[in-house]
Amino acid sequence: MSPSTAVVWFRRDLRVADQPTFLAAADAADRALALFVLDPHLLGPAGAARKTFLHGCLRELDSALDGRLLVVRGDPVDVVPRVATAVGARTVHVAADFGPYGSRRDENVATGLAATGAELIRTGSPYAVAPGRVEKGEGGPFRVFTPFSRAWADHGWRAPAGTSASTCSWIDPSTKDGGPRAVPIPDDEEVEAELPEAGEKAALRRWKDFLDEGVMEYGSNRDMPAKLGTSGMSPYLKYGCIHPRTVLADIARRHCDSTKDSTKDSTKAYRTEIAWREFYADVLYRRPDSARENYDTAFDHLPLRTGDDAYADLDRWKQGRTGFPIVDAGMRQLRAEAWMHNRLRMVVASFLVKDLHLPWWWGARHFMELLVDGDLASNQHGWQWTAGSGTDASPYFRIFNPITQGERFDPGGDYVRRWVPELAGVPGKAVHQPWKLRDGIPQGYPEPMVDHRTERQEALDRYDAVKRARRP
């Protein structure tokens, strides 16, 4: 009797450790084919940074599998059933996708496989707790983060799966007859940003460094962009080079082993950040329209600027030429590193929607084009939080002052001086208000494009339309 074959279709799980799909495939068949599909529906909107990082992750995964990763290009609805038929696979194993496009795609792939007598088997997901699992006691989704996070923690999650590249017996894709043609992993695209090292090994190294040192001061340093206070794990979580289950298990051990209150507070804070990621995934799963539209439909009535002047202001914001140093530093970091500190993401978003009165989705689109860690659920709902239109949103009257935000979170001005070289010679916190310098604004740096106090009041006036829309 010839050996049976399964297909393991990788998506946002580009690793060999903690892989429940490997266990399911090994249980279902004698051997497995490793598959990745270059899907134009996903690659088309992705920026160069995300595609380049993805290609690096694929190269490392292929190496971990001894060159046995089959890469094909095309619509998965077409190519996945063809691959399964070509190798005689009766099962195709995936981690469940809960995104708007991914869930539709998987249903269509499952239908195509069923027509050939094969089955799509979903095992696990990119999340510690799959979207849709956490609900209120009386049923229904949470709209507010804090009660969600409590219920999420009470629900709990499985321990990391003990897997490696040797969990499955991988077949050489070159022995496959028929089916879609294999393609090489694409070359890197031109990216002006300096990207983090891609792949599972880099993820595990970075995570170990953070556990050994960074986590102890995470609670106090995570909001300070001039310090290396964050873990830097978001690109790796985006592509599944490490699973949040692994992260949460390590954080729990670090919490239990520590005798310092500051470290315990830091581990709690880090787990909360993972919970935010899972909350936004749950929100998007239940309201897929919120990826493009206001979660709170009362904000459909908010007057927004459009037209040539609005697009000109958008461009100045994108280029980091607003005249507000902390905003410009954040936008320039985004271009230079394809990443931005989370505190700055909130600051620059507030400036766009509440000082410039531009649509949040304009900014969200720009972030998704440039961010190496661009995640639809976290990005779109983070923007809606700042705009006030999302679930658990920032109150509409909370309008970040870009000057006081800079002085509070970059008190020495080191972050601004790093990213805004025109202000490199301005000492201390004076860098946050260069228009007050005795000699005037340094050459090459622009005047503030708006008066914050005036635009704050303008934003509050515009929000009256939202309040009117909510009245019975």
Side-chain angles (χ1 to χ4, degrees):
M1 180 182 294
S2 60
S4 57
T5 303
V7 173
V8 175
W9 175 18
F10 291 88
R11 289 96 70 85
R12 289 180 56 184
D13 51 354
L14 305 182
R15 64 185 186 279
V16 297
D18 192 5
Q19 271 284 26
T21 53
F22 287 13
L23 298 175
D27 191 50
D30 301 314
R31 59 186 191 171
L33 173 72
L35 171 69
F36 187 86
V37 181
L38 296 167
D39 182 351
H41 294 101
L42 293 176
L43 294 175
R50 283 212 309 286
K51 285 188 277 192
T52 294
F53 190 79
L54 167 64
H55 301 159
C57 294
L58 291 175
R59 281 191 286 270
E60 198 210 72
L61 177 62
D62 184 48
S63 176
L65 299 175
D66 293 328
R68 287 185 164 88
L69 178 65
L70 172 65
V71 178
V72 299
R73 188 184 300 276
D75 187 338
V77 175
D78 171 50
V79 300
V80 172
R82 288 171 59 197
V83 168
T85 298
V87 299
R90 311 308 295 169
T91 56
V92 174
H93 298 266
V94 297
D97 192 327
F98 292 89
Y101 168 73
S103 58
R104 292 194 306 270
R105 173 204 59 205
D106 287 357
E107 286 301 316
N108 291 331
V109 169
T111 299
L113 286 169
T116 70
E119 182 181 3
L120 183 71
I121 297 179
R122 301 168 176 88
T123 307
S125 79
Y127 304 100
V129 180
R133 292 279 183 86
V134 177
E135 294 194 329
K136 297 177 182 178
E138 66 275 17
F142 287 95
R143 291 173 56 96
V144 177
F145 170 72
T146 300
F148 171 89
S149 65
R150 294 194 194 102
W152 172 80
D154 289 343
H155 180 284
W157 38 83
R158 295 180 183 275
T163 63
S164 67
S166 62
T167 300
C168 294
S169 177
W170 304 101
I171 65 173
D172 187 339
S174 65
T175 63
K176 175 183 67 64
D177 295 322
R181 181 172 61 87
V183 299
I185 296 170
D187 294 331
D188 292 344
E189 303 206 2
E190 273 194 43
V191 183
E192 61 179 291
E194 182 178 349
L195 302 180
E197 185 181 357
E200 181 179 14
K201 290 180 181 178
L204 294 175
R205 281 196 302 271
R206 184 148 193 168
W207 179 237
K208 182 180 183 301
D209 289 345
F210 179 71
L211 279 177
D212 289 346
E213 298 181 12
V215 71
M216 292 182 288
E217 304 298 330
Y218 178 76
S220 57
N221 288 345
R222 65 194 180 101
D223 269 330
M224 312 302 284
K227 298 181 179 181
L228 296 176
T230 62
S231 68
M233 295 304 296
S234 54
Y236 302 110
L237 288 167
K238 158 69 181 176
Y239 283 110
C241 302
I242 190 170
H243 196 280
R245 246 188 333 257
T246 300
V247 168
L248 289 164
D250 288 344
I251 282 289
R253 282 192 291 271
R254 196 74 173 83
H255 182 86
C256 292
D257 291 346
S258 178
T259 59
K260 294 183 177 180
D261 288 342
S262 60
T263 300
K264 288 184 178 293
D265 290 343
S266 290
T267 54
K268 288 180 182 177
Y270 195 85
R271 191 178 78 163
T272 297
E273 293 305 308
I274 299 295
W276 272 108
R277 180 176 182 268
E278 307 235 332
F279 176 57
Y280 283 150
D282 188 81
V283 173
L284 183 61
Y285 168 68
R286 297 174 187 274
R287 284 281 306 275
D289 62 298
S290 64
R292 306 283 180 249
E293 301 171 11
N294 291 317
Y295 184 91
D296 181 350
T297 56
F299 276 75
D300 294 348
H301 300 273
L302 177 67
L304 296 169
R305 293 176 59 219
T306 58
D308 292 344
D309 288 346
Y311 280 105
D313 285 352
L314 173 68
D315 189 61
R316 285 188 63 177
W317 174 83
K318 287 181 178 181
Q319 298 301 323
R321 302 284 297 169
T322 69
F324 288 90
I326 196 69
V327 174
D328 295 338
M331 298 307 296
R332 296 186 194 189
Q333 182 185 26
L334 176 59
R335 287 196 171 275
E337 296 188 341
W339 184 86
M340 190 192 301
H341 190 279
N342 186 60
R343 168 58 56 175
L344 269 297
R345 296 189 196 202
M346 293 187 285
V347 171
V348 304
S350 180
F351 187 84
L352 183 83
V353 300
K354 295 180 178 179
D355 282 82
L356 300 183
H357 319 296
L358 302 180
W360 65 261
W361 51 92
W362 287 11
R365 186 182 305 122
H366 181 66
F367 270 30
M368 288 297 287
E369 288 171 357
L370 295 189
L371 284 171
V372 68
D373 64 355
D375 175 86
L376 187 67
S378 294
N379 186 67
Q380 307 304 89
H381 290 99
W383 271 90
Q384 292 219 49
W385 182 90
T386 301
S389 61
T391 183
D392 202 42
S394 170
Y396 71 89
F397 50 80
R398 183 182 185 186
I399 299 172
F400 284 169
N401 183 320
I403 300 167
T404 57
Q405 287 287 308
E407 292 175 343
R408 179 180 177 186
F409 296 107
D410 185 29
D414 295 332
Y415 177 77
V416 165
R417 281 188 291 274
R418 178 182 178 187
W419 295 112
V420 187
E422 306 96 303
L423 303 179
V426 181
K429 72 175 185 180
V431 78
H432 297 296
Q433 299 187 73
W435 51 87
K436 289 188 175 181
L437 295 172
R438 178 180 300 176
D439 296 330
I441 297 176
Q443 185 175 6
Y445 192 68
E447 295 271 355
M449 62 188 295
V450 297
D451 177 78
H452 172 70
R453 180 175 297 185
T454 299
E455 299 310 326
R456 180 184 185 279
Q457 185 58 53
E458 174 66 17
L460 294 174
D461 292 343
R462 287 172 181 253
Y463 279 117
D464 284 341
V466 175
K467 290 187 286 184
R468 289 194 298 271
R470 287 177 174 161
R471 291 172 189 159

